[in-house]
Amino acid sequence: MKKNVIVGQSGGPTAVINASLYGVVYEALNREETLGTVYGMINGIEGFLSDQIMDMKPLELSGELELIKTTPGSYLGSCRYKLPENLNDEIYPKLFEKFATYNIGYFFYIGGNDSMDTVSKLSRYASQISSDIHFIGIPKTIDNDLVLTDHTPGFGSAAKYVASTVREITIDASVYDNTKSVTIIEIMGRHAGWLTASSVLARKFEGDNPVLIYLPEVAFDQEAFIEKVKIALETTSNLVVCISEGINDGNGTFICELASDVGVDTFGHKMLTGSGKYLENLVKERLGVKVRSIELNVCQRCSSSMISKMDQKEAIASGAYGVKCALEGETGKMIAFHRTNTNSAGTSTSMDHYQIDYVTEDVNLICNQEKTVPLEWITHDGSDIGPEFLSYAQPLIQGEVTVPTENGIPKFAYRKSLMPL
Ligand code: F6P
């Protein structure tokens, strides 16, 4: 009897997380001779625990599957759910009974570090009970913080959004020459500064905005920041500063925590938001100039108009490659990207020659780790990004995709309009 496939999405969405879903589903549906039903789990492993699943085949027949390639959000819904560390917990036999009920032979989970923790635990439990289910992680995260992979699907599109939007804001902020102004842009990425570093791609000449860029990798000193802003305003009337949501004092306190209690999500992560507003008030109070803070918030991860064609292509390919690897017998692995033709810094030597190999890496070495921006890519005083980042990031934001429209706005696939709650 043919084994069935199940695929889920978990963690925060990206603009191409559904392109990865497309890759898995399209490839699995095209292997009808080997594979049975292709199921999607609604709201990840948490939804699966209460039998929230759907058959993906009708999506192909209705054309909805094509549409998900350019649809933001996580089509199947998401969760931030941590499986118990103790593999003797009763949840594991419960889950594996459910896998048996649905005759699952292949499990794909599209997500970041926390989701890879789920893949790791399930594959370790499977090995403990000699289950032959194959567990494969498909990477995604705008934070770009997964280890053992050059980058992650979702980062390229978010970086393209950040660079374009910072450019647009810079142009808008530059209209009044007689008024000194500071615009602070807060960018996501949690504890890693990859996405904030992408704002450097908006700069057109030396000294252009964003003049100051602050990542969480370097301790943030408020006094040094105010001094930098003061000096920059002597030569730039309209200063644009990009900061990461995760900037911190280097002693465990996030700048956003200085303004209010941030709270934690269901996985236990602090919800980082508000450092831009905090610094807006600080600059206003200390320098008395016009200040505006802009939190890019979820716009940076759900903009279909800013999907990078390269990112979408790699997201689809990583999903499809995951299916291929699972069928070849791999389990407990995550699909990773190895960049070929790199220089000693590990960055692509030329945009035209950018090339990656799709490989598999041990998911146990990836889960719960964080890859941060190398300190040598950040300038010594921690307020700018060096040239290595440009050659690393530029190939990832290339190309545009056509998003289908309806009545003048993008046409998206929407599961909730198909299924009653
Ligand atoms: O991990 C991806 C991410 O977008 C982070 O950059 C951000 O801090 C977090 O998710 C927000 O999570 P949520 O959407 O669950 O609040």
Side-chain angles (χ1 to χ4, degrees), residues 168-402:
E168 288 165 351
I169 292 171
T170 292
I171 301 288
D172 184 281
S174 69
V175 297
Y176 305 114
D177 270 346
N178 296 331
T179 319
K180 296 259 179 218
S181 75
V182 179
T183 305
I184 301 168
I185 306 175
E186 180 183 324
I187 297 165
M188 277 183 166
R190 226 190 269 282
H191 310 137
W194 298 100
L195 196 51
T196 305
S198 310
S199 62
V200 75
L201 298 164
R203 207 180 272 160
K204 289 288 166 217
F205 51 88
E206 213 186 312
D208 190 15
N209 274 313
V211 171
L212 301 173
I213 302 174
Y214 291 96
L215 311 190
E217 282 78 358
V218 176
F220 187 83
D221 178 334
Q222 297 187 49
E223 289 308 316
F225 165 71
I226 289 293
E227 205 43 42
K228 276 270 176 196
V229 171
K230 213 155 103 188
I231 293 168
L233 283 173
E234 285 168 12
T235 48
T236 320
S237 300
N238 312 112
L239 176 68
V240 176
V241 183
C242 290
I243 57 155
S244 169
E245 62 177 8
I247 51 168
N248 58 84
D249 67 1
N251 292 314
T253 303
F254 291 101
I255 299 306
C256 58
E257 289 180 289
L258 301 175
S260 60
D261 186 10
V262 294
V264 292
D265 67 16
T266 48
F267 206 89
H269 297 301
K270 281 184 182 168
M271 292 188 285
L272 305 175
T273 175
S275 42
K277 195 73 194 165
Y278 175 84
L279 294 180
E280 175 190 322
N281 291 330
L282 185 75
V283 172
K284 207 177 285 169
E285 196 184 296
R286 298 286 298 277
L287 303 180
V289 292
K290 179 181 175 187
V291 198
R292 182 172 268 146
S293 67
I294 301 167
E295 189 178 331
L296 297 188
N297 212 300
V298 299
C299 303
Q300 61 207 298
R301 68 182 194 196
C302 66
S303 169
S304 60
S305 59
M306 278 294 146
I307 291 176
S308 140
K309 193 172 188 164
M310 180 64 78
D311 192 25
Q312 188 199 53
K313 182 183 124 193
E314 293 179 348
I316 295 172
S318 56
Y321 188 67
V323 174
K324 181 175 171 280
C325 294
L327 285 173
E328 284 169 3
E330 296 215 49
T331 187
K333 298 287 175 62
M334 186 191 84
I335 306 308
F337 303 159
H338 283 184
R339 194 180 294 219
T340 52
N341 73 312
T342 54
N343 58 23
S344 56
T347 55
S348 182
T349 46
S350 151
M351 206 156 78
D352 297 338
H353 296 115
Y354 166 77
Q355 223 180 323
I356 54 155
D357 283 343
Y358 297 88
V359 297
T360 54
E361 295 286 359
D362 184 347
V363 77
N364 301 301
L365 303 177
I366 296 169
C367 59
N368 305 314
Q369 303 292 317
E370 281 174 337
K371 183 180 74 179
T372 49
V373 177
L375 288 178
E376 47 301 358
W377 291 15
I378 305 170
T379 55
H380 291 305
D381 65 357
S383 67
D384 203 358
I385 311 300
E388 298 90 344
F389 182 83
L390 287 171
S391 51
Y392 167 79
Q394 244 149 10
L396 313 182
I397 66 167
Q398 299 305 313
E400 288 72 49
V401 302
T402 305

Side-chain angles (χ1 to χ4, degrees), residues 17-68:
I17 188 172
N18 292 324
S20 299
L21 176 66
Y22 172 91
V24 172
V25 173
Y26 184 85
E27 185 70 18
L29 289 175
N30 272 285
R31 298 198 179 231
E32 270 173 352
E33 69 294 348
T34 328
L35 297 171
T37 307
V38 180
Y39 291 115
M41 44 181 126
I42 311 292
N43 296 119
I45 198 73
E46 191 173 17
F48 180 71
L49 272 165
S50 51
D51 298 290
Q52 301 282 304
I53 64 171
M54 67 185 283
D55 183 356
M56 301 301 280
K57 179 80 180 169
L59 299 192
E60 189 183 44
L61 304 174
S62 66
E64 183 98 339
L65 190 60
E66 276 301 310
L67 214 49
I68 70 170

